[in-house]
Amino acid sequence: MVDFLNGTAFVVLPSVDAIQEFKAQTNNYSAEIGRAGGAVLNATIKSGTNQFRGNVWEYLRNDKLDAADFFEDAGGRSKGEFRQNQFGATIGGPIIIPHIYNGTNKTFFFGDYEGTRIRQGTPQSSTVPTVAERDSLKTCESSGSPACLVDFSDVLTGLAGSKGTTDLLGRTFPLGTIFDPATTRAVSGGFVRDPFPGNMIPFNRLDPSAIKLFELYPLPTSGELVNNFTASPVRRENVNRFDVRVDRNFSEKDQFFARVSYFDDPQFKPGPFGGIADGGGFNQGDQIATSR
């Protein structure tokens, strides 16, 4: 069974310590491979022997042992969280049930388990309303006056020097100009609008729903106009996988084996903001990938 975001095909990935051998095929596939479009990798799981054998392992990475990445250094941010623990064990041998069954030379088992736990900060930059815009909106909300002007002039100031635009009437406006939709009118060749003077918008012209959305954005972390919010939200991944194999030797020429494999990889990929206004897009949020 496969369940991976939008139903994308997914395969079982056995633990490295559980692999006996593997074979890579790049062309001239046999019929059993089907319509593979690229390389095919076949892996064989280990089987048990007449001796009980196994191993355990733990692989560790931690931000306390790492340097900050390029984007953290460039943005002047502190080093993000990073914890990775990859651990597991294998065991194999003959199936022996005291006083009931002795599978030496005949029946064997092999099993493995591997878990991976990752907590990793993902540096992200986004654009949020500036402090000046927030303060202006709060002032108008407190005043209760519908004629109060919400100040978005910092957009013009922040983009000063950028190339402007010219409308069908030959008027030139600086980049960042906010136009009044109520002034839309037809002219020769199309439509034009007039700007809000100085990017000052009357409070009663703002949609109440837009104001609620505006207030969901976090405070900026810098005084810039764009890319003024940086964060390092934590990505979570909890992988669990295991294989169980049983072999039975009926004779030198007749053998039988059965194997069960399981792979589960739930992940959470955060957006830049967190909460309701997470600012995320496709391929962000909770994801599940399970194969059996």
Side-chain angles (χ1 to χ4, degrees), residues 182-205:
T183 64
T184 304
R185 59 191 183 277
V187 298
S188 178
F191 296 86
V192 297
R193 290 177 175 177
D194 296 328
F196 286 106
N199 272 11
M200 308 286 283
I201 303 177
F203 181 67
N204 62 353
R205 296 292 304 279

PDB file of all heavy atoms in Angstrom, residues 182-205:
ATOM      1  N   ALA A 182     -11.656  51.967  -7.207  1.00  0.00           N
ATOM      2  CA  ALA A 182     -12.911  52.682  -7.437  1.00  0.00           C
ATOM      3  C   ALA A 182     -12.786  53.713  -8.553  1.00  0.00           C
ATOM      4  O   ALA A 182     -13.802  54.251  -9.021  1.00  0.00           O
ATOM      5  CB  ALA A 182     -13.365  53.369  -6.147  1.00  0.00           C
ATOM      6  N   THR A 183     -11.565  54.015  -8.983  1.00  0.00           N
ATOM      7  CA  THR A 183     -11.362  55.014 -10.039  1.00  0.00           C
ATOM      8  C   THR A 183     -11.132  54.373 -11.405  1.00  0.00           C
ATOM      9  O   THR A 183     -10.775  55.073 -12.358  1.00  0.00           O
ATOM     10  CB  THR A 183     -10.161  55.914  -9.696  1.00  0.00           C
ATOM     11  OG1 THR A 183      -8.961  55.110  -9.659  1.00  0.00           O
ATOM     12  CG2 THR A 183     -10.350  56.589  -8.346  1.00  0.00           C
ATOM     13  N   THR A 184     -11.327  53.071 -11.506  1.00  0.00           N
ATOM     14  CA  THR A 184     -11.104  52.380 -12.782  1.00  0.00           C
ATOM     15  C   THR A 184     -12.046  52.926 -13.853  1.00  0.00           C
ATOM     16  O   THR A 184     -13.253  53.055 -13.634  1.00  0.00           O
ATOM     17  CB  THR A 184     -11.338  50.868 -12.618  1.00  0.00           C
ATOM     18  OG1 THR A 184     -10.490  50.368 -11.582  1.00  0.00           O
ATOM     19  CG2 THR A 184     -11.025  50.131 -13.916  1.00  0.00           C
ATOM     20  N   ARG A 185     -11.491  53.250 -15.008  1.00  0.00           N
ATOM     21  CA  ARG A 185     -12.303  53.772 -16.112  1.00  0.00           C
ATOM     22  C   ARG A 185     -11.656  53.382 -17.434  1.00  0.00           C
ATOM     23  O   ARG A 185     -10.448  53.138 -17.509  1.00  0.00           O
ATOM     24  CB  ARG A 185     -12.437  55.293 -16.011  1.00  0.00           C
ATOM     25  CG  ARG A 185     -11.114  56.043 -16.029  1.00  0.00           C
ATOM     26  CD  ARG A 185     -11.320  57.511 -15.641  1.00  0.00           C
ATOM     27  NE  ARG A 185     -10.076  58.275 -15.705  1.00  0.00           N
ATOM     28  CZ  ARG A 185      -9.172  58.303 -14.733  1.00  0.00           C
ATOM     29  NH1 ARG A 185      -9.363  57.595 -13.624  1.00  0.00           N
ATOM     30  NH2 ARG A 185      -8.086  59.048 -14.863  1.00  0.00           N
ATOM     31  N   ALA A 186     -12.497  53.335 -18.447  1.00  0.00           N
ATOM     32  CA  ALA A 186     -12.034  52.956 -19.775  1.00  0.00           C
ATOM     33  C   ALA A 186     -11.458  54.163 -20.501  1.00  0.00           C
ATOM     34  O   ALA A 186     -12.001  55.271 -20.431  1.00  0.00           O
ATOM     35  CB  ALA A 186     -13.178  52.358 -20.578  1.00  0.00           C
ATOM     36  N   VAL A 187     -10.353  53.937 -21.180  1.00  0.00           N
ATOM     37  CA  VAL A 187      -9.751  54.946 -22.051  1.00  0.00           C
ATOM     38  C   VAL A 187      -9.388  54.252 -23.356  1.00  0.00           C
ATOM     39  O   VAL A 187      -9.549  53.035 -23.493  1.00  0.00           O
ATOM     40  CB  VAL A 187      -8.493  55.578 -21.404  1.00  0.00           C
ATOM     41  CG1 VAL A 187      -8.844  56.307 -20.113  1.00  0.00           C
ATOM     42  CG2 VAL A 187      -7.435  54.514 -21.144  1.00  0.00           C
ATOM     43  N   SER A 188      -8.910  55.003 -24.282  1.00  0.00           N
ATOM     44  CA  SER A 188      -8.528  54.423 -25.562  1.00  0.00           C
ATOM     45  C   SER A 188      -7.403  53.401 -25.363  1.00  0.00           C
ATOM     46  O   SER A 188      -6.332  53.733 -24.864  1.00  0.00           O
ATOM     47  CB  SER A 188      -8.050  55.531 -26.513  1.00  0.00           C
ATOM     48  OG  SER A 188      -7.621  54.977 -27.749  1.00  0.00           O
ATOM     49  N   GLY A 189      -7.698  52.171 -25.717  1.00  0.00           N
ATOM     50  CA  GLY A 189      -6.687  51.121 -25.624  1.00  0.00           C
ATOM     51  C   GLY A 189      -6.755  50.298 -24.359  1.00  0.00           C
ATOM     52  O   GLY A 189      -5.977  49.353 -24.205  1.00  0.00           O
ATOM     53  N   GLY A 190      -7.668  50.620 -23.415  1.00  0.00           N
ATOM     54  CA  GLY A 190      -7.744  49.815 -22.204  1.00  0.00           C
ATOM     55  C   GLY A 190      -8.354  50.554 -21.035  1.00  0.00           C
ATOM     56  O   GLY A 190      -9.278  51.362 -21.204  1.00  0.00           O
ATOM     57  N   PHE A 191      -7.811  50.315 -19.834  1.00  0.00           N
ATOM     58  CA  PHE A 191      -8.347  50.897 -18.610  1.00  0.00           C
ATOM     59  C   PHE A 191      -7.213  51.537 -17.809  1.00  0.00           C
ATOM     60  O   PHE A 191      -6.055  51.123 -17.898  1.00  0.00           O
ATOM     61  CB  PHE A 191      -9.027  49.827 -17.751  1.00  0.00           C
ATOM     62  CG  PHE A 191     -10.227  49.206 -18.406  1.00  0.00           C
ATOM     63  CD1 PHE A 191     -10.089  48.125 -19.271  1.00  0.00           C
ATOM     64  CD2 PHE A 191     -11.498  49.706 -18.167  1.00  0.00           C
ATOM     65  CE1 PHE A 191     -11.190  47.549 -19.879  1.00  0.00           C
ATOM     66  CE2 PHE A 191     -12.611  49.132 -18.771  1.00  0.00           C
ATOM     67  CZ  PHE A 191     -12.457  48.054 -19.630  1.00  0.00           C
ATOM     68  N   VAL A 192      -7.573  52.541 -17.008  1.00  0.00           N
ATOM     69  CA  VAL A 192      -6.609  53.185 -16.123  1.00  0.00           C
ATOM     70  C   VAL A 192      -7.235  53.356 -14.744  1.00  0.00           C
ATOM     71  O   VAL A 192      -8.462  53.278 -14.586  1.00  0.00           O
ATOM     72  CB  VAL A 192      -6.152  54.562 -16.660  1.00  0.00           C
ATOM     73  CG1 VAL A 192      -5.418  54.420 -17.977  1.00  0.00           C
ATOM     74  CG2 VAL A 192      -7.346  55.511 -16.788  1.00  0.00           C
ATOM     75  N   ARG A 193      -6.379  53.576 -13.757  1.00  0.00           N
ATOM     76  CA  ARG A 193      -6.820  53.889 -12.399  1.00  0.00           C
ATOM     77  C   ARG A 193      -5.984  55.047 -11.877  1.00  0.00           C
ATOM     78  O   ARG A 193      -4.860  55.273 -12.339  1.00  0.00           O
ATOM     79  CB  ARG A 193      -6.640  52.688 -11.467  1.00  0.00           C
ATOM     80  CG  ARG A 193      -7.578  51.532 -11.709  1.00  0.00           C
ATOM     81  CD  ARG A 193      -7.258  50.379 -10.768  1.00  0.00           C
ATOM     82  NE  ARG A 193      -8.209  49.288 -10.897  1.00  0.00           N
ATOM     83  CZ  ARG A 193      -8.125  48.141 -10.234  1.00  0.00           C
ATOM     84  NH1 ARG A 193      -7.114  47.945  -9.393  1.00  0.00           N
ATOM     85  NH2 ARG A 193      -9.035  47.202 -10.402  1.00  0.00           N
ATOM     86  N   ASP A 194      -6.528  55.738 -10.886  1.00  0.00           N
ATOM     87  CA  ASP A 194      -5.780  56.795 -10.215  1.00  0.00           C
ATOM     88  C   ASP A 194      -5.175  56.233  -8.931  1.00  0.00           C
ATOM     89  O   ASP A 194      -5.770  55.364  -8.280  1.00  0.00           O
ATOM     90  CB  ASP A 194      -6.697  57.971  -9.868  1.00  0.00           C
ATOM     91  CG  ASP A 194      -7.250  58.644 -11.111  1.00  0.00           C
ATOM     92  OD1 ASP A 194      -6.538  58.658 -12.136  1.00  0.00           O
ATOM     93  OD2 ASP A 194      -8.401  59.133 -11.054  1.00  0.00           O
ATOM     94  N   PRO A 195      -4.006  56.734  -8.543  1.00  0.00           N
ATOM     95  CA  PRO A 195      -3.374  56.223  -7.318  1.00  0.00           C
ATOM     96  C   PRO A 195      -3.984  56.843  -6.064  1.00  0.00           C
ATOM     97  O   PRO A 195      -4.592  57.918  -6.113  1.00  0.00           O
ATOM     98  CB  PRO A 195      -1.923  56.657  -7.481  1.00  0.00           C
ATOM     99  CG  PRO A 195      -2.005  57.915  -8.285  1.00  0.00           C
ATOM    100  CD  PRO A 195      -3.158  57.725  -9.237  1.00  0.00           C
ATOM    101  N   PHE A 196      -3.837  56.134  -4.948  1.00  0.00           N
ATOM    102  CA  PHE A 196      -4.119  56.755  -3.658  1.00  0.00           C
ATOM    103  C   PHE A 196      -3.000  57.762  -3.399  1.00  0.00           C
ATOM    104  O   PHE A 196      -1.813  57.399  -3.461  1.00  0.00           O
ATOM    105  CB  PHE A 196      -4.130  55.711  -2.536  1.00  0.00           C
ATOM    106  CG  PHE A 196      -5.354  54.836  -2.522  1.00  0.00           C
ATOM    107  CD1 PHE A 196      -5.289  53.519  -2.952  1.00  0.00           C
ATOM    108  CD2 PHE A 196      -6.567  55.334  -2.064  1.00  0.00           C
ATOM    109  CE1 PHE A 196      -6.410  52.705  -2.926  1.00  0.00           C
ATOM    110  CE2 PHE A 196      -7.702  54.522  -2.030  1.00  0.00           C
ATOM    111  CZ  PHE A 196      -7.622  53.206  -2.467  1.00  0.00           C
ATOM    112  N   PRO A 197      -3.319  59.027  -3.142  1.00  0.00           N
ATOM    113  CA  PRO A 197      -2.263  60.039  -2.934  1.00  0.00           C
ATOM    114  C   PRO A 197      -1.299  59.621  -1.820  1.00  0.00           C
ATOM    115  O   PRO A 197      -1.715  59.355  -0.691  1.00  0.00           O
ATOM    116  CB  PRO A 197      -3.055  61.294  -2.546  1.00  0.00           C
ATOM    117  CG  PRO A 197      -4.411  61.091  -3.161  1.00  0.00           C
ATOM    118  CD  PRO A 197      -4.667  59.611  -3.057  1.00  0.00           C
ATOM    119  N   GLY A 198      -0.026  59.539  -2.179  1.00  0.00           N
ATOM    120  CA  GLY A 198       0.997  59.199  -1.197  1.00  0.00           C
ATOM    121  C   GLY A 198       0.872  57.807  -0.616  1.00  0.00           C
ATOM    122  O   GLY A 198       1.452  57.512   0.438  1.00  0.00           O
ATOM    123  N   ASN A 199       0.118  56.926  -1.296  1.00  0.00           N
ATOM    124  CA  ASN A 199      -0.136  55.565  -0.784  1.00  0.00           C
ATOM    125  C   ASN A 199      -0.838  55.590   0.576  1.00  0.00           C
ATOM    126  O   ASN A 199      -0.644  54.704   1.411  1.00  0.00           O
ATOM    127  CB  ASN A 199       1.159  54.753  -0.684  1.00  0.00           C
ATOM    128  CG  ASN A 199       1.482  54.017  -1.978  1.00  0.00           C
ATOM    129  OD1 ASN A 199       0.868  54.261  -3.012  1.00  0.00           O
ATOM    130  ND2 ASN A 199       2.446  53.112  -1.919  1.00  0.00           N
ATOM    131  N   MET A 200      -1.676  56.616   0.784  1.00  0.00           N
ATOM    132  CA  MET A 200      -2.464  56.727   2.016  1.00  0.00           C
ATOM    133  C   MET A 200      -3.879  56.250   1.705  1.00  0.00           C
ATOM    134  O   MET A 200      -4.582  56.853   0.880  1.00  0.00           O
ATOM    135  CB  MET A 200      -2.480  58.167   2.516  1.00  0.00           C
ATOM    136  CG  MET A 200      -1.090  58.793   2.661  1.00  0.00           C
ATOM    137  SD  MET A 200      -0.183  58.184   4.085  1.00  0.00           S
ATOM    138  CE  MET A 200      -0.993  59.091   5.383  1.00  0.00           C
ATOM    139  N   ILE A 201      -4.314  55.164   2.349  1.00  0.00           N
ATOM    140  CA  ILE A 201      -5.601  54.541   2.046  1.00  0.00           C
ATOM    141  C   ILE A 201      -6.580  54.799   3.189  1.00  0.00           C
ATOM    142  O   ILE A 201      -6.265  54.511   4.354  1.00  0.00           O
ATOM    143  CB  ILE A 201      -5.437  53.025   1.831  1.00  0.00           C
ATOM    144  CG1 ILE A 201      -4.415  52.747   0.718  1.00  0.00           C
ATOM    145  CG2 ILE A 201      -6.777  52.376   1.491  1.00  0.00           C
ATOM    146  CD1 ILE A 201      -4.147  51.275   0.490  1.00  0.00           C
ATOM    147  N   PRO A 202      -7.766  55.338   2.896  1.00  0.00           N
ATOM    148  CA  PRO A 202      -8.768  55.534   3.952  1.00  0.00           C
ATOM    149  C   PRO A 202      -9.108  54.211   4.642  1.00  0.00           C
ATOM    150  O   PRO A 202      -9.254  53.179   3.985  1.00  0.00           O
ATOM    151  CB  PRO A 202      -9.976  56.099   3.199  1.00  0.00           C
ATOM    152  CG  PRO A 202      -9.390  56.720   1.969  1.00  0.00           C
ATOM    153  CD  PRO A 202      -8.228  55.861   1.596  1.00  0.00           C
ATOM    154  N   PHE A 203      -9.233  54.268   5.955  1.00  0.00           N
ATOM    155  CA  PHE A 203      -9.470  53.057   6.741  1.00  0.00           C
ATOM    156  C   PHE A 203     -10.738  52.335   6.305  1.00  0.00           C
ATOM    157  O   PHE A 203     -10.782  51.098   6.284  1.00  0.00           O
ATOM    158  CB  PHE A 203      -9.543  53.426   8.227  1.00  0.00           C
ATOM    159  CG  PHE A 203      -9.761  52.251   9.127  1.00  0.00           C
ATOM    160  CD1 PHE A 203      -8.786  51.274   9.280  1.00  0.00           C
ATOM    161  CD2 PHE A 203     -10.958  52.096   9.827  1.00  0.00           C
ATOM    162  CE1 PHE A 203      -8.982  50.180  10.106  1.00  0.00           C
ATOM    163  CE2 PHE A 203     -11.165  51.007  10.658  1.00  0.00           C
ATOM    164  CZ  PHE A 203     -10.177  50.041  10.797  1.00  0.00           C
ATOM    165  N   ASN A 204     -11.775  53.093   5.932  1.00  0.00           N
ATOM    166  CA  ASN A 204     -13.039  52.445   5.556  1.00  0.00           C
ATOM    167  C   ASN A 204     -12.979  51.777   4.187  1.00  0.00           C
ATOM    168  O   ASN A 204     -13.935  51.126   3.770  1.00  0.00           O
ATOM    169  CB  ASN A 204     -14.198  53.444   5.600  1.00  0.00           C
ATOM    170  CG  ASN A 204     -14.022  54.586   4.610  1.00  0.00           C
ATOM    171  OD1 ASN A 204     -12.978  54.724   3.969  1.00  0.00           O
ATOM    172  ND2 ASN A 204     -15.052  55.431   4.500  1.00  0.00           N
ATOM    173  N   ARG A 205     -11.869  51.948   3.478  1.00  0.00           N
ATOM    174  CA  ARG A 205     -11.707  51.276   2.184  1.00  0.00           C
ATOM    175  C   ARG A 205     -11.040  49.906   2.335  1.00  0.00           C
ATOM    176  O   ARG A 205     -10.944  49.155   1.364  1.00  0.00           O
ATOM    177  CB  ARG A 205     -10.860  52.152   1.247  1.00  0.00           C
ATOM    178  CG  ARG A 205     -11.488  53.491   0.884  1.00  0.00           C
ATOM    179  CD  ARG A 205     -12.724  53.309   0.010  1.00  0.00           C
ATOM    180  NE  ARG A 205     -12.421  52.562  -1.180  1.00  0.00           N
ATOM    181  CZ  ARG A 205     -11.856  53.087  -2.278  1.00  0.00           C
ATOM    182  NH1 ARG A 205     -11.537  54.379  -2.307  1.00  0.00           N
ATOM    183  NH2 ARG A 205     -11.633  52.343  -3.337  1.00  0.00           N
TER     184      ARG A 205
END
